Amino acid sequence: MRGVLFDGRRAVVVDDLEVRGPGPGEVLVAVAAAGLCHSDLSVIDGTIPFPRPVVLGHEGAGVVEAVGAGVRHVVPGDHVALSTLANCGTCADCDRGRPTMCRRAIGRPGQPFSRGGEPVYQFASNSAFAERTVVKAVQAVRIPASLPLTSAALIGCGVLTGVGAVLNRARVDRGESVVVIGAGGVGLNVLQGARIAGASTVVAVDANPEKAAVARQFGATEFLTDVARVRDVLPDGADHVFECVGRVELVRAAIDLLDRHGQAVLLGMPAADAEASFVPAALFLDKSVLGCRYGSSRPQRDVRLYARLYEQGRLLLDELVTRTYGVEEFGKAVEDAEAGRVARGVLTF
């Protein structure tokens, strides 16, 4: 079968991958569509260290092809969105409703794929850049068949991360002010999360002025090309600032833009050894700096919620898909993503 393989030097489309069948508590999914996220590019450029060879992709949707023993919440033929959160469901954090903190879901890549008889790693417990993939049952969330799979694919990372950061981690309240630094795929979802939460002033900041229209479409009330101008809109600072780029100087800017009792939420992915600095005294007025893994999500709950919001016209998904590419166009999709020409490109199989 076809898939996108990174061997440590380059990522290429191959047609000789194999995937094993589902074991107990697992689901085999025929992938229909998968979003190209910057986390995939970060594996290629080394920002995210990961064992190789590996099948890339972690934001996908498809149709259940087979289920392993004990799986009852989905059956063959069901449409599903895939999460990257292969949490165990039985540890203390899972029991508290904090599956993103499950230690069994972090840093333990499996090898359900093979090529030429040699095992191949799975990225983010998902590997959606393949015609078929095997995931834990908890990662397959049933969605309405009416939801286009090219749009549903984006729920599994960009939407869960961005909207979840607003609703679950920051808990933005009605009437509060929000600044979003970076209007890429995650940033746009932070913007619409702020809109859904009822924020009154939502400032999008991106160096590319061509993103102004789409930022406003997703919920921005103001669009700026320079963080230095945010104080012109919010002289006292913001209640919430989301850094969605992953640059340490923007982390500092996010903290400096906080109002009293404000929160800076860090969503961008800097290099693993990057360090950011700030003035500790700036936090004494009850300000906070928050990390956020995967939107502090509970995928089995949140994916269904976002599907309902989409059906109600409150959550934008179709508008996130800037362009679709056949899997053989993976190289072009990467070029467009790196050049900032697309908010989200989607590979189709």
Side-chain angles (χ1 to χ4, degrees):
M1 68 177 185
R2 294 175 299 167
V4 178
L5 184 80
F6 177 58
D7 62 8
R9 298 182 306 275
R10 61 192 185 118
V12 296
V13 179
V14 299
D15 60 6
D16 56 352
L17 281 175
E18 296 183 359
V19 64
R20 63 171 174 77
E26 294 182 332
V27 177
L28 175 67
V29 177
V31 179
L36 176 59
C37 173
H38 275 278
S39 292
D40 299 302
L41 303 182
S42 294
V43 175
I44 297 172
D45 67 22
T47 302
I48 297 178
F50 205 88
R52 288 95 63 183
V54 57
V55 178
L56 297 176
H58 63 284
E59 188 181 67
V63 180
V64 174
E65 200 162 271
V67 301
V71 178
R72 294 181 176 83
H73 73 290
V74 293
V75 298
D78 280 347
H79 287 207
V80 291
L82 303 179
S83 86
T84 69
L85 204 58
N87 59 296
C88 71
T90 59
C91 69
D93 282 309
C94 286
D95 193 51
R96 293 187 187 111
R98 301 188 307 206
T100 58
M101 295 297 103
C102 176
R103 285 173 170 80
R104 296 189 187 181
I106 301 174
R108 301 188 182 192
Q111 294 176 301
F113 300 98
S114 62
R115 187 184 185 211
E118 297 297 321
V120 175
Y121 285 101
Q122 183 174 40
F123 179 52
S125 303
N126 190 306
S127 289
F129 291 170
E131 290 184 276
R132 290 174 181 79
T133 190
V134 170
V135 298
K136 292 186 67 171
V138 72
Q139 296 176 255
V141 186
R142 187 169 58 189
I143 57 174
S146 58
L147 203 167
L149 289 171
T150 49
S151 298
L154 304 186
I155 298 178
C157 178
V159 176
L160 282 173
T161 298
V163 179
V166 175
L167 303 183
N168 301 328
R169 185 64 168 133
R171 298 184 182 272
V172 173
D173 202 357
R174 293 184 299 263
E176 292 187 325
S177 58
V178 171
V179 174
V180 182
I181 302 175
V186 170
L188 291 177
N189 280 295
V190 175
L191 289 171
Q192 68 172 334
R195 170 176 50 78
I196 291 167
S200 60
T201 302
V202 182
V203 182
V205 185
D206 197 287
N208 184 355
E210 294 182 1
K211 293 185 178 181
V214 69
R216 290 183 183 277
Q217 180 183 21
F218 274 77
T221 60
E222 308 284 342
F223 181 88
L224 305 172
T225 56
D226 187 348
V227 291
R229 295 181 53 204
V230 172
R231 291 280 182 175
D232 296 337
V233 180
L234 297 168
D236 294 328
D239 296 311
H240 308 274
V241 181
F242 296 83
E243 201 284 330
C244 305
V245 180
R247 286 168 43 190
V248 294
E249 66 271 25
L250 294 178
V251 171
R252 171 62 182 269
I255 296 169
D256 290 345
L257 287 171
L258 294 177
D259 194 0
R260 299 182 178 197
H261 208 271
Q263 298 181 135
V265 183
L266 309 184
L267 297 176
M269 180 64 69
D273 58 352
E275 297 182 359
S277 63
F278 62 92
V279 180
L283 300 183
F284 290 167
L285 292 172
D286 286 0
K287 301 177 184 180
S288 305
V289 181
L290 305 179
C292 183
R293 182 171 192 257
Y294 204 43
S296 301
S297 297
R298 286 183 277 173
Q300 287 289 336
R301 178 201 68 172
D302 291 349
V303 170
R304 291 188 177 96
L305 168 63
Y306 300 151
R308 287 198 300 272
L309 292 177
Y310 168 82
E311 290 180 324
Q312 295 167 3
R314 298 172 61 194
L315 182 85
L316 305 181
L317 288 178
D318 304 337
E319 295 82 356
L320 281 169
V321 184
T322 312
R323 177 175 170 180
T324 59
Y325 305 82
V327 67
E328 66 279 356
E329 298 179 281
F330 174 73
K332 173 61 176 171
V334 170
E335 289 178 11
D336 288 346
E338 290 179 331
R341 289 190 287 267
V342 294
R344 263 303 193 267
V346 174
L347 300 182
T348 58
F349 292 89

